Amino acid sequence: MRIRAAKGSDREEILRFCTDTFSWGDYIDRVWNIWIARKNGKLFVGESGGRRIALAHVSMCPSGVAWLEGVRVHPNFRRAKVATALLDKMLGWAAKNGAREASAIVSQENVPSQRMMERNGFSMISAWAYYGTVEKPKKRATEARFAAKQDLAEAWEYLKKSSTYRLSAGRYVSSWQWYRLDRKALQHLVAAGRIVMTGRPVDGLAVLNKAGYWDKPDVLQIVYLDPGSASSLRDLLAFAANLYAQGYSRLHVLCHNSEKMTSAVEKFEMEESEIFLLYSKKVFTQ
């Protein structure tokens, strides 16, 4: 097999085996044009005997993290270490582009992919739950508020002491890539009006994505959720639900997978769609 950079002419043949990857279908058709045009990443295609048989995408995130995603292999070529070859190619690209770490998510149900990641030196560092709803909830009282510039120091101190932050591996989600939620990222998110806090002193914090992702700009997402108590969790969820009711088509919650989160989120008429495992590996630059 030869692995090379993708071309626009590869699209139709690749998409023919990227339609029923999951029970709900696949998303490659929605991101192909984004990935192939991305300046900070590389879309790879695997060829064998003149046929396009595999796909993978890697890109650089802030803080020196390479994100690996979209590994797809034609059904006739599975169990032939094609995915492992793609993984090696992506890690090589990451090393050449200065990555210090590589990360990826795998569905909790995808045991073969979990084993492949672990065989290649990746460790599972966090488990995340994904919830969604299209139901419009009734308006709820909340004391949560958008963080202001003067709240940055207190918000960062809260995160540093938070067990949820540690269990979340210090990450938040952006367009289905997991980014480091460090102080620099927090400062940017506060300035962008994306941090929600509750309590005085702060007893809960969430990161919102108000701009959707890919081809869905009307989706509101909670992309990090860190309550200090049951009441702060209700406040943060109520704030997001009230905002969602103002014209968005769908509400998503992506957060550390825990029973505490599950019981509260489900009270907002949301259903757990999937559990994702976040994997990471150190990369040594070339």
Side-chain angles (χ1 to χ4, degrees):
M1 180 185 67
R2 180 171 75 101
I3 301 176
R4 58 166 174 79
K7 300 179 292 187
S9 56
D10 296 323
R11 186 178 190 275
E12 294 308 314
E13 188 172 350
I14 290 290
L15 292 184
R16 282 200 285 271
F17 63 86
C18 296
T19 55
D20 299 314
T21 309
F22 309 103
S23 60
W24 48 266
D26 205 335
Y27 62 84
I28 300 300
D29 61 320
R30 296 164 55 196
V31 297
W32 175 277
N33 291 339
I34 298 171
W35 285 356
I36 203 168
R38 185 167 282 167
K39 301 299 184 184
N40 66 332
K42 183 68 72 173
L43 184 60
F44 291 110
V45 162
E47 268 188 334
S48 180
R51 295 177 61 187
R52 286 92 158 176
I53 65 162
L55 175 78
H57 180 251
V58 56
S59 61
M60 288 298 299
C61 299
S63 303
V65 178
W67 186 256
L68 319 180
E69 61 191 340
V71 177
R72 301 288 186 272
V73 178
H74 191 287
N76 294 346
F77 292 85
R78 290 174 187 166
R79 297 183 179 85
K81 297 188 177 180
V82 173
T84 298
L86 290 168
L87 188 61
D88 287 343
K89 189 74 171 180
M90 289 189 289
L91 289 172
W93 183 92
K96 289 179 181 178
N97 284 271
R100 298 189 298 273
E101 177 186 356
S103 293
I105 55 165
V106 177
S107 170
Q108 189 179 52
E109 298 179 357
N110 190 346
V111 176
S113 289
Q114 294 169 35
R115 290 174 177 165
M116 181 193 71
M117 298 296 285
E118 291 161 6
R119 283 196 305 268
N120 285 275
F122 284 79
S123 299
M124 195 275 284
I125 60 172
S126 184
W128 287 66
Y130 164 48
Y131 304 87
T133 186
V134 295
E135 300 296 326
K136 294 294 185 182
K138 62 183 179 181
K139 188 172 182 178
R140 300 175 188 246
T142 176
E143 295 183 6
R145 63 198 184 278
F146 281 116
K149 184 178 180 180
Q150 59 267 27
D151 296 315
L152 175 62
E154 185 180 2
W156 180 235
E157 286 303 312
Y158 175 82
L159 288 177
K160 288 195 296 183
K161 297 173 183 176
S162 165
S163 60
T164 298
Y165 181 75
R166 175 177 53 81
L167 292 168
S168 303
R171 313 294 172 106
Y172 74 102
V173 184
S174 177
S175 293
W176 294 95
Q177 297 180 339
W178 270 243
Y179 286 15
R180 286 192 179 278
L181 184 55
D182 54 22
R183 196 182 192 284
K184 183 177 180 181
L186 184 66
Q187 182 177 13
H188 170 77
L189 292 165
V190 168
R194 294 181 54 189
I195 300 294
V196 178
M197 299 168 57
T198 188
R200 299 183 189 276
V202 61
D203 186 39
L205 182 150
V207 181
L208 298 184
N209 170 25
K210 300 180 286 184
Y213 61 95
W214 302 341
D215 57 347
K216 292 187 177 294
D218 58 345
V219 176
L220 176 68
Q221 296 179 307
I222 298 178
V223 291
Y224 175 79
L225 183 59
D226 191 336
S229 64
S231 61
S232 68
L233 179 54
R234 289 193 297 270
D235 265 356
L236 293 169
L237 290 172
F239 186 95
N242 293 345
L243 184 60
Y244 157 63
Q246 297 175 20
Y248 290 93
S249 67
R250 183 178 291 270
L251 175 64
H252 291 170
V253 176
L254 292 130
C255 61
H256 166 64
N257 182 38
S258 72
E259 185 176 347
K260 176 178 70 173
M261 301 284 198
T262 299
S263 59
V265 172
E266 289 177 353
K267 290 178 182 178
F268 281 75
E269 300 178 358
M270 302 189 73
E271 294 185 358
E272 180 184 288
S273 296
E274 197 162 0
I275 305 296
F276 294 107
L277 306 180
L278 177 62
Y279 280 86
S280 179
K281 175 183 178 177
K282 289 189 181 301
V283 174
F284 299 98
T285 57
Q286 297 179 0

